[in-house]
Amino acid sequence: MTRIALCQIPVSPDPSANLKRATEALARAEGAELAIFPEATLTRYGRRITDLAEPLDGPFVSGLAEAARRHGLAVIAGVFEPGEGRVHNTAVAIDAEGAVRAAYRKIHLFDSFGAKESDLVARGAQPVVVELAGVRVGLITCYDIRFPELARALVDQGAELFAVIAAWGSGPLKEDHWVTLVRARALENTMWTAAVGQAPNPAESSDGFGVGRSMLVDPLGVVRADLGTGPGVRIVEVDHEWTATARATLPCLDHRVL
């Protein structure tokens, strides 16, 4: 068993306020081995991200790392790293000793539904699997969930769990898309999938980011936990023996031809 805290928090434009929220959530996550936060936990999306982006040794990640060490659990969270003209939308992975173990730069940028993330964000290039809390975790960020080839590449790199972080945009049918896609990536790869989105922030609701609906989905696509729309921290359990049982029942990874 691996105990995971789904940390569905609202995000503001102010990194210091978001760090405070995140550290408070980690205090509530004690007893878990891994805490997962949303995409863009550093600061809310907007043109400000180019000014507020921080290196991975900056105050935001350093603060998260210290809290991870203090509470003895690993952390995954979304930040923005400075780049040349544009930033990187990065999922940072921190171990329980407070060391940065990996950084995944989002590959698929959200140039859809009238948005153009690529105006501000430079595309990443490499899928990333990182070992945290004794589990090989494949990192997926928001719009990436629409691309099954990324999830399959993570399987081929030995992932045992998908961690999906998001600042999902609201709109007609968008919440249905989120739930369907998360369940599909879990089912088609017979993979436990922990997906964490931003909670809605009423003070910043005009931009539409954050629908909540953080979930734990099992390897047969069954939703084991759903946080709904409000802020919250929920500790869930991933049963790795159930993965073996599911794959014996549905050996689709063994049946691949292409």
Side-chain angles (χ1 to χ4, degrees), residues 4-60:
I4 297 174
L6 308 178
C7 298
Q8 180 170 290
I9 63 171
V11 174
S12 86
D14 179 4
S16 62
N18 296 327
L19 179 59
K20 182 175 185 292
R21 273 198 190 106
T23 54
E24 289 170 351
L26 287 177
R28 295 173 60 191
E30 286 206 33
E33 297 160 86
L34 169 63
I36 305 175
F37 287 90
E39 177 188 27
T41 299
L42 168 70
T43 183
R44 198 167 185 84
Y45 262 107
R47 295 205 169 270
R48 72 185 76 85
I49 66 175
T50 57
D51 297 323
L52 295 176
E54 295 182 7
L56 297 183
D57 58 358
F60 188 84

Side-chain angles (χ1 to χ4, degrees), residues 6 8 179 212-216 223-229 234:
L6 308 178
Q8 180 170 290
V179 173
R213 297 302 302 274
S214 300
M215 294 182 291
L216 178 70
V223 177
R224 297 292 189 97
D226 184 331
L227 272 65
T229 58
R234 185 178 303 181

Side-chain angles (χ1 to χ4, degrees), residues 105-116:
R105 292 172 168 178
K106 186 179 182 181
I107 292 173
H108 301 98
L109 301 182
F110 185 58
D111 289 0
S112 299
F113 292 96
K116 196 165 185 186

Side-chain angles (χ1 to χ4, degrees), residues 100-254:
V100 173
R101 294 290 306 277
Y104 164 64
R105 292 172 168 178
K106 186 179 182 181
I107 292 173
H108 301 98
L109 301 182
F110 185 58
D111 289 0
S112 299
F113 292 96
K116 196 165 185 186
E117 186 177 13
S118 63
D119 282 348
L120 302 173
V121 177
R123 185 174 69 86
Q126 297 297 325
V128 172
V129 174
V130 58
E131 185 165 326
L132 295 172
V135 180
R136 289 182 58 78
V137 183
L139 302 177
I140 298 172
T141 300
C142 204
Y143 191 51
D144 282 333
I145 197 71
R146 294 184 182 272
F147 299 87
E149 57 270 26
L150 174 61
R152 189 54 56 87
L154 295 171
V155 170
D156 289 340
Q157 289 184 26
E160 300 168 308
L161 167 76
F162 293 148
V164 184
I165 64 172
W168 203 256
S170 60
L173 298 178
K174 290 295 298 301
E175 191 173 317
D176 287 341
H177 291 188
W178 167 252
V179 173
T180 300
L181 289 161
V182 171
R183 293 185 68 190
R185 297 297 83 83
L187 176 57
E188 70 195 4
N189 294 291
T190 50
M191 182 76 72
W192 284 99
T193 301
V196 177
Q198 290 184 16
N201 185 341
E204 305 290 339
S205 59
S206 62
D207 63 23
F209 291 119
V211 300
R213 297 302 302 274
S214 300
M215 294 182 291
L216 178 70
V217 182
D218 78 13
L220 291 181
V222 176
V223 177
R224 297 292 189 97
D226 184 331
L227 272 65
T229 58
V233 175
R234 185 178 303 181
I235 297 177
V236 296
E237 289 188 340
V238 168
D239 181 350
H240 300 287
E241 291 186 1
W242 175 239
T243 302
T245 300
R247 290 180 176 178
T249 303
L250 178 63
C252 56
L253 292 177
D254 292 337

